Amino acid sequence: MKKKLFGILSIVTLTIFAFSGCKNRGTTAENRNETGKKILKCSESFALETLNPHQDYQGWYTSIYGLTEALFIMNDQSSVEPMLAESAKADGNIWTIKLKEAASFSNGNTVTSDMVIRNLQNAGKTNSRFAYLKDCSYQILDDKTFTIETSEVYPTLLNDLASPELAIVDLDNSKDMGSQLVATGPFVVSSFEPGGTIKVKRNSSYWNGEVKLDGAEFYYMPEPDTSLMAMQNGEIDCYTGVTADAAEIFKNDPDTYKLVSIPATRLQFYILNKNRLDDSVRKAINLTIDTKAIETYLNGTVTSTDGPFDSSAPYGKVTKEPVDIEAAKALLEKDGYSLNADGYYEKDGQVLTINIAYYAARSLDTLATLMQEQLKTIGIKGTLTCEVDPDETYIATGDFDIALYCMIADKAGDPYYFISCTLAKGAPYNCGGFSNEKTQKLIDELKVTSNNDRRAELANEIVQTAIDEDAFGYVALFNKTTVMRNNVVNVFENCPFDFYFLNANTDMN
Amino acid sequence: MKHYITKRLLLLIPIILGLTFLTFALLYITPGDPAKKKLSAQGIAVTNEVLEKTRQEMGLNQPFMKQYLDWFGKFLKGDLGNSFKDGTSVADKLSKGMRYTFILSFSAFFLAITISIPLGIYTAVKQNRFVDYFIRFLCFIGNAVPNFLLAVLFIYFFCIYIKVFPVVAKGNMQGLFLPALSLALPLVSRFIRQIRAAVLEQLNAEYITGARARGNRETYILFRDVLHNALISIISIFGFSIGTLLGGSVVIESIFMWPGVGKLMMDSINARDYPVIQGFVIISAMIYVVVNLLIDLCYQLIDPRGEE
């Protein structure tokens, strides 16, 4: 009797589970259009708990979901273009900004100067990275024109105003910005599960033209393998952050998938410690590190680079010397190093040993190993030190010969942020002893220069000096890789910034 | 009995005090600044001024004991605080995560015991026969294969190959089956071996030889004597497992997008989200104490001799 009971119980359990699985079969992206609606299904590796775009980096995601827009937008060439704003003009430290007449929220309310100013002040209060905005002086000239007076000349204000965290929201009607968001984007929230799926639908009163999709759904998939399989199974239509292995699979099926990979803004670089390494050793290291070989090894996930910015940007025009092993060896030998029986260079009985400090993220562990191998080929012994938190350890203490790091170099279409963080005197990532009076003067000039051509010229000169002095080595820019079904178009796949995706022109043909 | 339960529940107080203090201290000395993690979440560097201001706002500039006592004071008032990461209520986050983790854990556990109890007993009864060797061989494989690999294989097989389930699981029975199965199978392998061992121990006992000599039927001996006496060991095994399951499974939850507490915990540890971690530690401690208490009560129900 008891045996029978066990048997029946087992069968019932398995049957319930099996049928529960079978009954909803068929809700895939491929047959979804049978309903006649164009709903784009995507995966995201991050899920929001609230929809307040001003808080932390949440504006990146509300922008990705097509819910929010800022006064300006970054284009594919990393230049600032007007979005909700029509024009902007600087006079010293006073910026006059005119808003577009048509700009309005999804509830039909017009975007006014007052609302924009309140948004900027709110973002300044909510987000420490934009705290300066709450201290600026604002003046309303008319319903569509206002001024911002910064405490000092601020030539990159428009780049900041293009940040998705400075999205413009109808503060009066977004009672709980965490869940009821009234903004200006081409889509509005249809359903939102904190930490999970978000569904958006067309903003039928979108101010900037016709919205082509009926809606979109973003599923939270932290594991890239899950996104790959959901794509293969036809349950999602596109996603960004495609891994190298997944890209190979998609490349092999061009009839189904479109794969777009472009160098983005996240940079892998290393800092050479001038306080510890001689000029000849640093130069030899830079002549040895083969970034093209690293790009090949990392299999399409990165693009090797000469400087910190994409070479297509006007401020990305720098060069570095090509890999030359013989020249590197000659430099070391000229400096008194000689090869020992183990194949390593030594001087005064000391083997030339370089400590490479890194942390295990963003492929820096692989990069460290590859650099160690490449240095070995010319006779430099590399030792690896892995730290959990680089900022609290080797970046803070300067205890390294080579320090690996990864950060977004181009935050919003301007070089000043990266230069001020890594090359300026006392900058947090200028921890390898780079110091050059002339360069510092150029950085000071860059800080207050408004003319874009001059800014690019200054940035190129500053970065070139850092390269020529062998203070840094810029390895690669991470690629932004997007995969789409062949019928999907316009998901900002050619824009290097991570915070754009869904827009009014996104379509499923 | 009431006295016993009260005594055990009162033990929670020093346990929670000790655990929360220890966790707080460990987090404090672990490298990684919550303010920096929050500000640089997308790989953007921040100035020292912004960092300092944020640390001040988050109360991270206070001495260690003050930070701990502030947190503990709020906890005594029933306030677990807000997440450093996104400012949302820790209690809300944990209650949502625990709800999903309970569903997944109990489904996996139910599936595991449904399969493992009959098979464990069967392999013990059929000791050293082909079926015993075969099931034990499968158990070795089940124990050796990591559950993340099982999960990916299951998705590939059920979702891509035979297309019975969608990859994009929803928070319903359909979305529950594969994560529950991925969690259950390694448990099944372990349970079968342990149940088999517990049953065999009883089958080889002298009182069973006596029972057989008295002419009792094998089924009677198995269900009346063997299983009853093996139950204490089996319940212990189940008790430890359910405690572990309720701690959440980071890998399975990540792969199947199951919004349980395991994934929440891993994200919180990475972000050094102290309030969420502390809240989780309290809940985990409570779960372990309550589960152990229930196991002890079960022991006493099965074998009242232990009551004294």
Side-chain angles (χ1 to χ4, degrees):
Chain A
M1 185 61 196
K2 286 183 182 176
K3 263 186 183 174
K4 274 186 187 172
L5 196 68
F6 274 130
I8 291 166
L9 204 61
S10 311
I11 291 163
V12 168
T13 313
L14 291 172
T15 313
I16 288 170
F17 274 118
F19 275 107
S20 71
C22 296
K23 67 180 178 184
N24 285 333
R25 187 178 169 179
T27 52
T28 66
E30 281 160 348
N31 63 20
R32 185 191 53 255
N33 282 342
E34 286 167 11
T35 59
K37 286 197 168 183
K38 288 197 269 190
I39 308 287
L40 186 76
K41 296 195 175 186
C42 320
S43 73
E44 265 299 326
S45 59
F46 188 89
L48 290 181
E49 288 293 330
T50 77
L51 293 173
N52 183 349
H54 298 157
Q55 193 185 321
D56 301 326
Y57 288 92
Q58 291 176 185
W60 287 37
Y61 294 93
T62 55
S63 169
I64 285 169
Y65 305 150
L67 300 172
T68 56
E69 293 168 332
L71 292 176
F72 295 87
I73 188 168
M74 307 302 306
N75 66 17
D76 295 355
Q77 289 74 43
S78 305
S79 301
V80 177
E81 278 182 4
M83 188 69 210
L84 295 171
E86 188 175 277
S87 61
K89 195 173 63 179
D91 181 10
N93 60 337
I94 299 175
W95 282 88
T96 305
I97 294 170
K98 189 170 170 51
L99 301 170
K100 283 181 183 164
E101 282 300 322
S104 65
F105 295 105
S106 58
N107 58 5
N109 289 351
T110 312
V111 176
T112 61
S113 299
D114 173 58
M115 186 56 78
V116 171
I117 290 170
R118 283 166 55 202
N119 267 274
L120 298 180
Q121 286 170 329
N122 186 59
K125 269 188 273 178
T126 315
N127 198 320
S128 352
R129 286 179 296 119
F130 297 94
Y132 71 92
L133 285 172
K134 69 174 192 281
D135 303 324
C136 291
S137 302
Y138 299 90
Q139 197 185 349
I140 298 173
L141 300 182
D142 63 44
D143 215 24
K144 288 284 181 182
T145 317
F146 66 99
T147 62
I148 305 177
E149 186 178 349
T150 52
S151 56
E152 55 185 1
V153 176
Y154 201 105
T156 55
L157 182 71
L158 299 192
N159 301 77
D160 278 11
L161 293 179
S163 304
E165 297 93 321
L166 300 185
I168 305 303
V169 174
D170 186 348
L171 292 170
D172 296 331
N173 291 292
S174 299
K175 285 174 196 153
D176 171 17
M177 260 215 276
S179 53
Q180 290 175 298
L181 187 67
V182 178
T184 63
F187 293 89
V188 293
V189 181
S190 165
S191 73
F192 170 55
E193 179 197 329
T197 303
I198 179 162
K199 295 181 181 177
V200 297
K201 61 184 178 190
R202 177 194 288 151
N203 171 4
S204 49
S205 52
Y206 184 52
W207 64 277
N208 197 18
E210 186 202 352
V211 182
K212 291 177 178 153
L213 285 179
D214 290 296
E217 295 174 8
F218 292 86
Y219 301 105
Y220 173 45
M221 294 187 192
E223 287 296 315
D225 284 343
T226 315
S227 292
L228 162 69
M229 286 189 275
M231 194 77 186
Q232 284 181 305
N233 207 28
E235 291 176 54
I236 57 171
D237 302 296
C238 56
Y239 72 98
T240 52
V242 179
T243 59
D245 294 341
E248 282 304 311
I249 293 168
F250 295 131
K251 262 186 223 162
N252 290 332
D253 189 1
D255 294 338
T256 313
Y257 309 110
K258 257 188 303 191
L259 192 73
V260 180
S261 189
I262 56 158
T265 56
R266 207 177 289 274
L267 171 76
Q268 276 184 333
F269 68 105
Y270 57 87
I271 306 161
L272 291 158
N273 198 338
K274 290 183 89 173
N275 302 321
R276 287 194 185 181
L277 302 173
D278 297 336
D279 290 354
S280 59
V281 176
R282 294 200 321 276
K283 175 65 97 188
I285 291 170
N286 270 350
L287 286 171
T288 307
I289 300 303
D290 185 351
T291 55
K292 285 278 176 204
I294 291 167
E295 176 187 320
T296 308
Y297 188 86
L298 291 175
N299 199 15
T301 52
V302 299
T303 301
S304 69
T305 182
D306 285 351
F309 311 110
D310 185 23
S311 57
S312 65
Y315 45 86
K317 311 294 182 200
V318 291
T319 54
K320 66 181 175 193
E321 287 183 50
V323 173
D324 190 339
I325 301 290
E326 291 313 312
K329 285 182 171 178
L331 265 173
L332 292 175
E333 282 161 15
K334 196 179 162 193
D335 203 25
Y337 287 96
S338 57
L339 277 176
N340 66 14
D342 297 329
Y344 289 115
Y345 276 104
E346 63 176 35
K347 189 159 88 171
D348 305 329
Q350 295 287 312
V351 173
L352 178 53
T353 306
I354 301 291
N355 165 245
I356 305 171
Y358 70 100
Y359 55 103
R362 306 274 178 201
S363 303
L364 290 181
D365 41 357
T366 312
L367 176 62
T369 314
L370 292 172
M371 284 176 67
Q372 187 186 34
E373 283 300 309
Q374 291 183 354
L375 291 175
K376 194 179 171 185
T377 58
I378 68 154
I380 297 178
K381 189 176 187 179
T383 58
L384 304 183
T385 307
C386 182
E387 297 287 357
V388 176
D389 187 345
D391 295 319
E392 295 286 311
T393 52
Y394 58 86
I395 295 292
T397 61
D399 184 14
F400 62 86
D401 293 323
I402 298 178
L404 304 193
Y405 205 80
C406 181
M407 69 158 80
I408 287 187
D410 194 348
K411 191 172 67 160
D414 189 80
Y416 180 70
Y417 147 76
F418 181 77
I419 287 172
S420 66
C421 282
T422 60
L423 302 177
K425 201 174 170 184
Y429 297 95
N430 185 359
C431 49
F434 173 71
S435 176
N436 182 311
E437 283 305 315
K438 191 184 161 207
T439 307
Q440 186 56 44
K441 275 184 190 157
L442 295 177
I443 293 171
D444 294 339
E445 189 186 339
L446 179 66
K447 189 180 178 187
V448 293
T449 301
S450 300
N451 182 289
N452 282 338
D453 293 339
R454 179 63 187 150
R455 291 184 71 76
E457 206 177 293
L458 287 167
N460 289 331
E461 195 178 338
I462 295 163
V463 175
Q464 191 64 57
T465 308
I467 295 172
D468 294 344
E469 286 195 13
D470 297 301
F472 291 84
Y474 301 109
V475 180
L477 290 167
F478 270 91
N479 290 340
K480 176 182 164 188
T481 306
T482 308
V483 64
M484 297 159 273
R485 291 194 179 282
N486 272 334
N487 62 334
V488 177
V489 291
N490 295 328
V491 287
F492 278 115
E493 66 272 20
N494 291 312
C495 182
F497 298 96
D498 292 335
F499 40 74
Y500 297 127
F501 189 79
L502 204 60
N503 60 83
N505 292 320
T506 306
D507 204 356
M508 299 166 81
N509 294 320
Chain B
M1 181 69 89
K2 266 186 192 170
H3 176 70
Y4 176 75
I5 295 172
T6 317
K7 203 173 101 187
R8 289 289 297 268
L9 289 176
L10 281 174
L11 266 178
L12 259 174
I13 297 168
I15 289 173
I16 284 176
L17 250 172
L19 268 178
T20 55
F21 183 80
L22 204 64
T23 315
F24 211 88
L26 286 172
L27 286 169
Y28 191 79
I29 57 168
T30 306
D33 178 356
K36 196 153 199 169
K37 295 263 177 198
K38 178 184 164 85
L39 291 168
S40 306
Q42 295 293 347
I44 287 179
V46 287
T47 61
N48 288 334
E49 295 78 54
V50 170
L51 183 63
E52 205 45 44
K53 195 171 166 292
T54 309
R55 298 191 89 246
Q56 213 168 347
E57 283 166 6
M58 292 165 80
L60 296 167
N61 281 351
Q62 305 284 352
F64 166 74
M65 274 315 285
K66 179 152 179 20
Q67 283 187 47
Y68 176 72
L69 290 174
D70 281 352
W71 173 84
F72 197 75
K74 280 186 190 167
F75 164 66
L76 289 178
K77 289 178 202 157
D79 178 10
L80 288 176
N82 290 334
S83 160
F84 278 170
K85 201 173 146 198
D86 51 41
T88 53
S89 154
V90 171
D92 289 351
K93 262 178 184 276
L94 287 174
S95 65
K96 184 188 156 200
M98 284 311 297
R99 196 168 63 236
Y100 279 99
T101 295
F102 266 109
I103 293 170
L104 180 59
S105 303
F106 281 106
S107 306
F109 185 70
F110 181 63
L111 208 56
I113 57 169
T114 311
I115 300 169
S116 59
I117 290 179
L119 289 182
I121 297 168
Y122 191 64
T123 49
V125 173
K126 302 286 177 188
Q127 190 192 10
N128 295 335
R129 303 233 189 119
F130 172 76
V131 69
D132 178 34
Y133 286 123
F134 183 67
I135 291 173
R136 280 164 63 197
F137 173 71
L138 291 181
C139 289
F140 279 124
I141 296 174
N143 265 324
V145 178
N147 58 8
F148 68 85
L149 182 63
L150 268 182
V152 174
L153 288 175
F154 282 156
I155 294 183
Y156 184 76
F157 181 73
F158 287 108
C159 308
I160 313 274
Y161 192 67
I162 60 169
K163 291 184 184 287
V164 175
F165 293 100
V167 179
V168 181
K170 297 169 182 72
N172 53 20
M173 286 290 277
Q174 191 185 24
L176 180 61
F177 181 68
L178 288 184
L181 191 64
S182 307
L183 274 181
L185 281 192
L187 277 183
V188 167
S189 306
R190 207 164 66 230
F191 284 176
I192 287 176
R193 287 170 55 78
Q194 287 165 332
I195 292 168
R196 178 181 176 277
V199 173
L200 273 179
E201 191 188 334
Q202 297 300 323
L203 280 174
N204 294 329
E206 283 182 2
Y207 76 95
I208 296 295
T209 315
R212 281 181 181 138
R214 285 194 296 277
N216 288 332
R217 281 187 301 131
E218 274 299 312
T219 45
Y220 179 82
I221 293 170
L222 187 65
F223 287 104
R224 180 68 185 81
D225 297 329
V226 172
L227 277 187
H228 185 260
N229 289 322
L231 216 51
I232 289 181
S233 313
I234 294 171
I235 284 173
S236 303
I237 299 160
F238 289 169
F240 289 127
S241 300
I242 202 149
T244 314
L245 276 175
L246 288 172
S249 168
V250 181
V251 181
I252 296 297
E253 287 175 7
S254 296
I255 292 174
F256 290 101
M257 300 148 281
W258 191 262
V261 83
K263 177 79 177 67
L264 171 69
M265 219 38 236
M266 191 44 79
D267 291 345
S268 303
I269 291 169
N270 285 335
R272 303 288 185 272
D273 197 343
Y274 298 167
V276 179
I277 298 169
Q278 290 291 89
F280 178 75
V281 166
I282 291 171
I283 289 180
S284 295
M286 285 176 173
I287 288 171
Y288 271 91
V289 169
V290 170
V291 167
N292 281 326
L293 177 63
L294 289 175
I295 292 169
D296 288 350
L297 293 177
C298 285
Y299 289 162
Q300 291 185 6
L301 281 175
I302 294 163
D303 186 2
R305 286 173 302 172
E307 204 167 346
E308 290 144 27

